[in-house]
Amino acid sequence: MSCSIRGMLAVLALMFIITPSLARAEELTGTDVITKMRLRPDGDDRKGTVSMTLVNRRGAKRVRVMEQIAKDYGMDRKAIIVFKEPADVRGTKFLSWTYDAPGRDDDKWLYIPSMKKVRRISGSANNDFFMGSDFTYDDIDMGRRNVSKDTHTYLGEDMRGVYECWKVESIPVDKDDPVRRRVLWVDKKTCIPVYLEYYTDQGLSRVYEVLELQQQQGFWNVKSARMRNLETEHQTLMEFSPFVYDIGVDDNLFQVAVLQRG
Amino acid sequence: MSGVMCCRSILFSVFLLLSLLPCRTLADTAGEEGGSSRLDAISDFWNEHFSSTGWIELVQSMRTYAPHDEVTSRVHGRLEVSGTAGTFNGFLSLDAEKNWTIPALDGLSVREAWLEHVGSGWDIRVGRQLIIWGKADGVRITDNVCPTDFSDYLNRNIDEMRIPVTAAKLRFLSNTLITEFIWIPEFKSAKLATGNNPWALERSFSSALPVRTNSAGEPSSWSLEDSEFALRVSSYMAGFDVSLSAFYTWDDTAASSVSVRDISGGRREIVMEQDYHRILIYGFDFAKPWSDFVFRGEAAYFQGRYLSTSTGGNEKHDVLKYLVGVDWSPGGNWSVTAQLLDEFIMNYDRGLVAEEHSPQATLNVSKNFFNEQLTVSDMVYVSLNDGEFFNRLQAAYELADGMELTIGWDKFYGDDGSYGVYRRNSQIWGKLRFSF
């Protein structure tokens, strides 16, 4: 069953990748662009190291390093993040089962080595900031937000640095979402969002920009990106090591029991 | 908090750091001194199979009552080394402590040392280890596998109050169930604060008669008959976690009975007998997330517990401990945890020292500031029978990666109940922690 769903998704993805050259830009809708972004190929599973450098307004830096392994189950995803640095959080493990279905809360568990215990944490707090960074839990899987969570409007084509982009405005359906609208620049070639503006009631609050893309095993992904919080003048630089794709990650890795192992 | 105290703490922590760091930096040193292929090989081997971490903390406090002396003054360090080779994992945790208020805690010790083998659908861990059950926060309901160390009582986090046990833990893992068997061949009793320890509770006898303590001795170690056994079945599903457990164990705290006896020459003495008793504990816990909340619950039924009577003896009763709690993440970097718990004595007898119900409430409110660089929290434990409470207000500031300064105020309120008895240990304190 999952194979057939995956097959259908692959065909859909292929259609969306092929169609840009056939379709005229004016026929595109915002939903089309966001769907292309959502379905861009990135393997069935992937593993790599992510480094976050947190920089405050005075320029003081703090560094968080983590190893991430993720596997897709149709449009859902299971992931485990193991924190490597700083030393006081080393060995902390975060397991998440994220669901694409709107309204369904994710399942999340945290293993803290000093407590030697797995703790269930709320699955709905996706607007909370991750590890003191300027990325929210929702931002961590950039570009994987469910398409139906927002109303999308196509704003045309625009150059953003070296990237030729589609520009889209996305307004959350959920009126309680603290982000009132997002404006995205999606690279036409890779379908990766390379620039993103977040607006709250106070106006433009955060800006995300890709600094460099990389290609591995035929898959494009982000090599480095930056999120600037304009309200706090704090920023986070995120750097991705080369990711390894389709390594056949064992399903059992994403079980709570594994978090407690040595 | 005198300058002399601080200086000696700092000097001692530097000494500890220098002792612990070589293990951590072995690989780096080997690399730097390079040129030697042997050192490079050692470095590569270390990096491939081992990792290490640790911390050193200085804690100094000042009593808020006269004579404003220290309740806590210690330097404590820990080094943890993990190793992996194929399907085997190993772990070693070493402690070093210099304690100026409780000298009995001074010294070097092995906290944990275990070896683990991971099979297909099962794993086994053998050695000295911490085994922690349950969903409660800061209190122990089903979490009874490791005995409690009351030596430094509320000066330590509950994670530091557990005494590791020598055990074999075998787990069978499926997609939905974890079945865990535990065998503990070596008995360990709870550690109580005694002597000049600021957390020691004096047992006073109104009589001028001499007191003699008769300890029946601890259950024998490494005998199957006196071993402890546990079984736990857990399930972590989408939207719900649940566990059931049974633990055939010894009560970690000896039951005491007091009597007056005649001795030679027409004199009399008070005799305090101490015995350890077998108990069976059935446990249940669950966690259920919903929106911004996680609801948690635990219950433990203790079959055959010996409880003290007001006449100096003890009686056997079954006891039910239970807890309901909720974690709330409202956003804005706030976090709130509230719990209600109770200890209920079955077939209650008015002659018992403990009350039939001992309800308590806990509340923990915390907020992060400056991208989690500063965390301010307040935690309170309230005994609902007598209104006594313990409150800890603290602020933790991350000075740099791996270096944190925490200042806090502990307040015990009450007369002679569960918290009031420590009222003279109310203190302000500071803790500097360096993680490496």
Side-chain angles (χ1 to χ4, degrees):
Chain A
M1 183 65 183
S2 66
C3 285
S4 60
I5 290 173
R6 199 176 291 171
M8 285 164 60
L9 289 173
V11 171
L12 264 173
L14 201 63
M15 284 169 60
F16 280 113
I17 291 163
I18 293 169
T19 43
S21 58
L22 305 173
R24 287 175 299 171
E26 58 267 28
E27 289 174 351
L28 272 179
T29 66
T31 305
D32 290 342
V33 174
I34 299 302
T35 307
K36 284 176 196 288
M37 182 180 80
R38 181 74 177 81
L39 296 176
R40 76 180 175 84
D42 63 348
D44 289 334
D45 60 57
R46 59 210 68 80
K47 178 181 178 180
T49 302
V50 183
S51 162
M52 289 196 306
T53 305
L54 282 53
V55 187
N56 70 12
R57 69 175 75 182
R58 295 189 306 277
K61 293 179 180 174
R62 294 180 291 155
V63 179
R64 277 95 183 88
V65 180
M66 60 212 129
E67 190 177 274
Q68 185 182 30
I69 305 172
K71 185 170 185 174
D72 297 339
Y73 295 82
M75 298 300 281
D76 297 338
R77 174 173 287 183
K78 292 184 179 179
I80 187 164
I81 295 174
V82 181
F83 295 94
K84 302 290 186 185
E85 298 291 342
D88 53 353
V89 295
R90 190 179 297 140
T92 300
K93 297 172 188 172
F94 174 66
L95 172 66
S96 62
W97 299 351
T98 50
Y99 305 107
D100 191 54
R104 183 174 181 186
D105 287 344
D106 299 336
D107 285 293
K108 293 174 184 172
W109 295 270
L110 193 66
Y111 173 75
I112 300 172
S114 62
M115 293 171 67
K116 309 270 179 193
K117 193 162 85 169
V118 174
R119 191 182 178 110
R120 166 77 81 153
I121 55 176
S122 164
S124 68
N126 288 335
N127 285 312
D128 284 353
F129 289 101
F130 180 74
M131 289 287 288
S133 74
D134 298 287
F135 290 87
T136 63
Y137 282 87
D138 205 25
D139 301 328
I140 290 297
D141 271 337
M142 187 63 72
R144 278 186 54 84
R145 186 176 160 88
N146 184 291
V147 177
S148 66
K149 282 186 175 177
D150 304 275
T151 307
H152 310 283
T153 307
Y154 180 63
L155 301 178
E157 295 183 359
D158 193 16
M159 283 298 289
R160 178 53 68 178
V162 297
Y163 304 108
E164 198 179 326
C165 300
W166 293 299
K167 186 178 174 186
V168 175
E169 181 189 64
S170 299
I171 296 177
V173 174
D174 178 5
K175 299 298 175 202
D176 293 330
D177 194 323
V179 177
R180 295 305 187 195
R181 69 186 176 105
R182 295 169 175 81
V183 181
L184 300 92
W185 280 257
V186 179
D187 178 37
K188 285 181 174 182
K189 181 181 166 191
T190 61
C191 293
I192 290 175
V194 292
Y195 198 86
L196 218 159
E197 294 174 342
Y198 297 78
Y199 291 85
T200 62
D201 285 337
Q202 283 72 44
L204 181 61
S205 69
R206 290 185 298 142
V207 174
Y208 167 82
E209 61 182 319
V210 164
L211 304 176
E212 191 177 355
L213 295 176
Q214 60 187 344
Q215 191 178 26
Q216 280 128 15
Q217 295 173 241
F219 299 112
W220 281 100
N221 62 31
V222 175
K223 185 174 183 184
S224 61
R226 179 171 54 201
M227 180 75 86
R228 284 182 292 136
N229 188 322
L230 306 181
E231 292 168 1
T232 61
E233 296 179 43
H234 192 276
Q235 59 177 304
T236 301
L237 178 67
M238 199 176 247
E239 292 168 295
F240 296 81
S241 71
F243 268 54
V244 187
Y245 292 91
D246 292 334
I247 47 177
V249 173
D250 187 349
D251 292 335
N252 290 324
L253 185 68
F254 305 106
Q255 297 299 325
V256 170
V258 174
L259 298 180
Q260 296 162 312
R261 278 197 184 134
Chain B
M1 209 182 303
S2 71
V4 176
M5 303 286 183
C6 287
C7 284
R8 79 184 179 195
S9 299
I10 291 166
L11 284 172
F12 202 84
S13 65
V14 169
F15 169 74
L16 270 180
L17 185 63
L18 292 174
S19 319
L20 294 173
L21 276 178
C23 295
R24 167 84 182 131
T25 55
L26 172 66
D28 299 337
T29 310
E32 282 166 14
E33 289 173 359
S36 160
S37 58
R38 192 174 167 192
L39 283 177
D40 286 342
I42 292 171
S43 168
D44 291 344
F45 181 80
W46 176 272
N47 290 330
E48 189 179 348
H49 297 285
F50 296 96
S51 64
S52 62
T53 185
W55 47 259
I56 288 178
E57 66 180 24
L58 294 77
V59 185
Q60 184 71 41
S61 80
M62 187 180 77
R63 202 184 302 270
T64 52
Y65 286 84
H68 302 295
D69 57 342
E70 56 203 13
V71 182
T72 310
S73 179
R74 64 183 155 91
V75 179
H76 186 189
R78 178 166 301 158
L79 174 70
E80 296 180 340
V81 181
S82 306
T84 300
T87 58
F88 287 90
N89 300 315
F91 181 75
L92 178 66
S93 172
L94 302 170
D95 265 15
E97 178 163 350
K98 175 64 187 168
N99 196 310
W100 284 275
T101 45
I102 311 170
L105 297 177
D106 283 356
L108 292 163
S109 60
V110 176
R111 185 167 168 78
E112 287 185 86
W114 49 255
L115 194 64
E116 181 179 75
H117 173 65
V118 179
S120 175
W122 63 280
D123 57 33
I124 186 167
R125 182 179 291 182
V126 178
R128 192 170 159 82
Q129 55 189 292
L130 280 164
I131 298 172
I132 298 168
W133 288 355
K135 301 284 190 284
D137 201 22
V139 289
R140 304 177 69 174
I141 306 292
T142 60
D143 178 25
N144 298 296
V145 179
C146 290
T148 310
D149 185 349
F150 292 100
S151 308
D152 207 4
Y153 198 30
L154 287 164
N155 272 337
R156 309 275 166 143
N157 291 329
I158 194 165
D159 314 316
E160 296 292 319
M161 286 174 65
R162 297 183 182 91
I163 302 170
V165 290
T166 303
K169 184 173 78 172
L170 173 66
R171 299 191 305 170
F172 294 98
L173 318 169
S174 74
N175 281 343
T176 52
L177 280 184
I178 303 170
T179 308
E180 185 176 333
F181 297 94
I182 301 168
W183 172 43
I184 305 170
E186 187 184 38
F187 173 78
K188 281 196 187 298
S189 63
K191 276 189 192 168
L192 303 176
T194 55
N196 292 326
N197 188 316
W199 302 99
L201 294 174
E202 287 181 16
R203 183 161 187 173
S204 58
F205 297 98
S206 52
S207 164
L209 298 177
V211 179
R212 184 162 57 87
T213 302
N214 278 347
S215 294
E218 295 183 344
S220 56
S221 290
W222 300 101
S223 88
L224 205 57
E225 192 184 344
D226 281 356
S227 289
E228 296 169 278
F229 300 94
L231 168 67
R232 187 175 191 235
V233 181
S234 317
S235 186
Y236 296 87
M237 299 168 281
F240 194 62
D241 300 342
V242 63
S243 300
L244 289 169
S245 61
F247 185 27
Y248 182 57
T249 180
W250 294 93
D251 198 331
D252 300 325
T253 310
S256 303
S257 60
V258 180
S259 58
V260 179
R261 291 183 190 168
D262 292 327
I263 50 175
S264 58
R267 288 176 299 141
R268 304 172 81 197
E269 67 174 3
I270 295 172
V271 179
M272 193 161 76
E273 306 274 0
Q274 292 193 314
D275 272 319
Y276 289 96
H277 295 278
R278 276 286 193 188
I279 50 171
L280 182 58
I281 308 171
Y282 298 101
F284 162 74
D285 65 60
F286 77 92
K288 167 74 186 161
W290 178 77
S291 185
D292 294 334
F293 301 91
V294 176
F295 297 96
R296 299 178 277 108
E298 275 195 63
Y301 186 84
F302 295 72
Q303 207 173 59
R305 210 169 188 189
Y306 283 78
L307 305 174
S308 300
T309 62
S310 50
T311 54
N314 50 59
E315 281 180 16
K316 193 175 178 181
H317 287 265
D318 291 353
V319 175
L320 176 67
K321 287 172 82 171
Y322 54 96
L323 169 145
V324 287
V326 61
D327 303 327
W328 181 33
S329 309
N333 296 311
W334 284 94
S335 144
V336 179
T337 293
Q339 300 179 126
L340 272 173
L341 60 144
D342 184 26
E343 187 166 335
F344 170 48
I345 301 170
M346 306 287 193
N347 300 315
Y348 187 72
D349 178 340
R350 289 185 179 279
L352 291 173
V353 172
E355 296 194 49
E356 184 174 16
H357 284 276
S358 302
Q360 284 200 68
T362 77
L363 178 68
N364 191 345
V365 180
S366 74
K367 181 170 169 60
N368 293 315
F369 298 88
F370 315 130
N371 293 75
E372 295 187 11
Q373 197 156 14
L374 172 67
T375 304
V376 178
S377 65
D378 189 77
M379 179 199 70
V380 61
Y381 288 67
V382 184
S383 166
L384 299 178
N385 277 344
D386 50 20
E388 298 196 349
F389 69 81
F390 165 60
N391 188 80
R392 172 170 288 168
L393 175 66
Q394 63 178 15
Y397 186 75
E398 191 180 320
L399 298 168
D401 279 341
M403 188 174 289
E404 187 177 71
L405 175 67
T406 309
I407 53 169
W409 175 38
D410 292 354
K411 170 72 180 172
F412 293 91
Y413 173 84
D415 296 321
D416 291 315
S418 46
Y419 297 113
V421 72
Y422 299 113
R423 62 190 178 282
R424 298 197 65 79
N425 283 356
S426 294
Q427 58 182 334
I428 53 170
W429 52 269
K431 178 168 77 176
L432 182 63
R433 186 174 177 124
F434 170 64
S435 304
F436 55 89

